[in-house]
Amino acid sequence: MSVHRCVYLLSRSHIRYRVCASTAAVANNTTLHPTRRTFENLSSRHSSSYSSSKPLDTSLFVPLTVRSDEVSSGAVGEELTQPLDKSELLKVLNRFYKRKEMQKLAADQGLDARLFHQAFVSFRKYVLEMNSLNADLHIILNDICCGAGHIDDIFPYFMRHAKQIFPMLDCIDDLRKISDLRVPANWYPEARAIQRKIVFHAGPTNSGKTYHAIQRFLAAKSGVYCGPLKLLAHEIYEKSNDAGVPCDLVTGEERIFVDPEGRTSGHIASTIEMCSVTTPYEVAVIDEIQMIKDPARGWAWTRALLGLCAEEIHVCGEAAAVDFVTELMYTTGEEVEVHNYKRLTPFSVSNHAVESLDNLKPGDCIVCFNKNDIYSISRQIEVRGLECAVIYGSLPPGTKLAQAKKFNDPDDPCKILVATDAIGMGLNLSIRRIIFNSLVKPSVNEKGERELDTISTSQALQIAGRAGRFSSVFKEGEVTTMQRDDLTVLKEILGKPVDPIEDIFVSLAQVDGLYFVCNIDDFKFLADMIQHIPLNLRSRYVFCTAPINKKQAFVCTSFLKFARQFSRDEPLTFNWVCRHVNWPLAPPKNIKDLVHLEAVHDVLDLYLWLSYRFMDMFPDANLVRDIQKELDGIIQVGVRNITRLIRATEDQSASPETATSVRLPVLDTSSLRRGRGSKNQRKEPSVTDSSLSSRLVQDGLLTKELLQQLQKEWVREQNGGDSNSANKGKRKKK
């Protein structure tokens, strides 16, 4: 019950934009403003879409079991008539099932063919297996069997049974209203009550598009900034206050009010999920609008674009997003004013690959797409006597900023950065050259399967654009690859135009052609996890929308414990949390310890997120935030010494069993280098070996390179040990 009802509630709020066939017409038009004909076509399409009634998706309806208990009035039916002949009764019921008139009547009551069949099977079983039926049903069935009644007389009793096993039939009209998502713009009456000015700042990275939007934000009497990352919201928060414009910070886990008495400032910097669509502003800034196509988070951009109650909406993002934002605004009757920007500093694609870490130079950034490669490359760089900074997605924001500061500091000996694509947004970095360690990135397809696929043009440009930033010491950027074979592929990728928003549609509810319901796999994952825990509907829904990393077992376990404690109406106190995470925590001794500390940081984030939704049950947010800051410092120390942690992991894993049982999955990526498409996609190989080395690879603690290096070192030590033993034996004989 709770899972399906929560799914419907989630679908009501989590919906994002999709492109339809008419986008092509808009794209081919020389002007970005709607023509009269285009607007009329859209209007007629919307009205026809709204008037058409799409059948309700009943695949989510699960029949309940009706108990076959004896009824008190059952004997009365037999006394008034006679016992029923089961064989004759079966014939009567089957004739009832085959009558088209009954199927049509049932459809009018909300039973489609699928539900009608399920209800009939249950009704037939109920009638045939019951020793005694209700008196009224018994009498009706007896009359039909004796030829004194009409077979259609069964229908009211059939429907009564159908509503017992499908109780949602009584609220079918409400379900249709809940699942009718065809005109999302009408969900925001405050925004529809004003005529908003939409300004699109379009351009690549490092083009100044966000800068111009922020300048308007700072000059306004009131404003809200909506960004995809806590780091970006924090940056605008600091810039605004440094410029003398009081600005509050609002994220899922944090609220900072500039006013000492806690009064709200006129300006707000927030993550996009946390923006208010009921508070009036003069200016609103929506950053990275191209993320509206994201299957999991795109709903937040749709909600902000349609619902922000601001006189001016300044949208920043890739030029490829202009057309679909323009078309989306047709539905609200708002025109889009487009400002195009060019990159402020050039970057070029090198004609030579790096090929070896010996060829690294100050200001280089090696981009990897998994942490294993980061560990391996960091270790190899340290062996060459160089220092490097490390940035990847699961690091706390404070640690990312500390590593960025270390890399940017001209007086710091650290001149190399090893990072994932987490550097694509949210960090100001002085990078001279971007080096792609690989062009293949893991992804998850619509079925939830992990795949490896060549990065898209948009992704490549987002990362490559970090080289030669306008505000950095390097005024010109360079982009290349580590492998020679990848360089040609990179040039092809960067030479292509950015793909427009893909035409995707998920049929979960009635939606207009411009929209589709977002991916709710994470929601359903959490809903299934806490299905057995007694929670009211609102609490269950909030827990299911919690932003957690479901890949971390410790985070999922903590989420489950939080929900259990909450369901018992027992507050989650600071002491309870400390016992759960074993606080205080020691600095990491190896990579596994570091990964665990990152998971603990995520758990504390979860506590803070829930504390703003259930303040009475999560009462110690300030104390938890204090230890989270302390934990951030511990993680920073670990990341600064990451090569030492890698060495410690190698030492712990250096055993004869590990060295002699190395079996690694081999993936041929040559086909992936030819380009994108279904032929170029491969599912990640699964490691079925149960050896220690394979388990370490699965846990992300070792890579192929590290294992090979371990094997060489172990063999070398073994040979050295044998040689020393032989020499000692000779000396003894002498």
Side-chain angles (χ1 to χ4, degrees), residues 293 439 453-461 493-494 499 676:
K293 66 183 178 180
L439 297 176
D453 194 12
T454 307
I455 60 175
S456 66
T457 300
S458 177
Q459 292 170 330
L461 287 172
I493 293 173
L494 293 176
D499 295 334
R676 305 187 74 223

Side-chain angles (χ1 to χ4, degrees), residues 21-32:
S22 63
T23 305
V26 178
N28 294 330
N29 203 328
T30 55
T31 176
L32 295 175

Side-chain angles (χ1 to χ4, degrees), residues 238-259:
E238 290 185 337
K239 281 184 177 180
S240 183
N241 287 295
D242 290 344
V245 179
C247 180
D248 297 337
L249 176 68
V250 178
T251 69
E253 302 79 20
E254 192 173 18
R255 309 283 194 281
I256 299 180
F257 297 99
V258 177
D259 185 86

Side-chain angles (χ1 to χ4, degrees), residues 503-524:
D503 185 2
I504 309 171
F505 183 74
V506 180
S507 180
L508 291 181
Q510 298 186 57
V511 294
D512 182 79
L514 290 171
Y515 305 88
F516 68 91
V517 180
C518 74
N519 188 320
I520 57 174
D521 290 343
D522 290 347
F523 180 92
K524 290 190 288 187

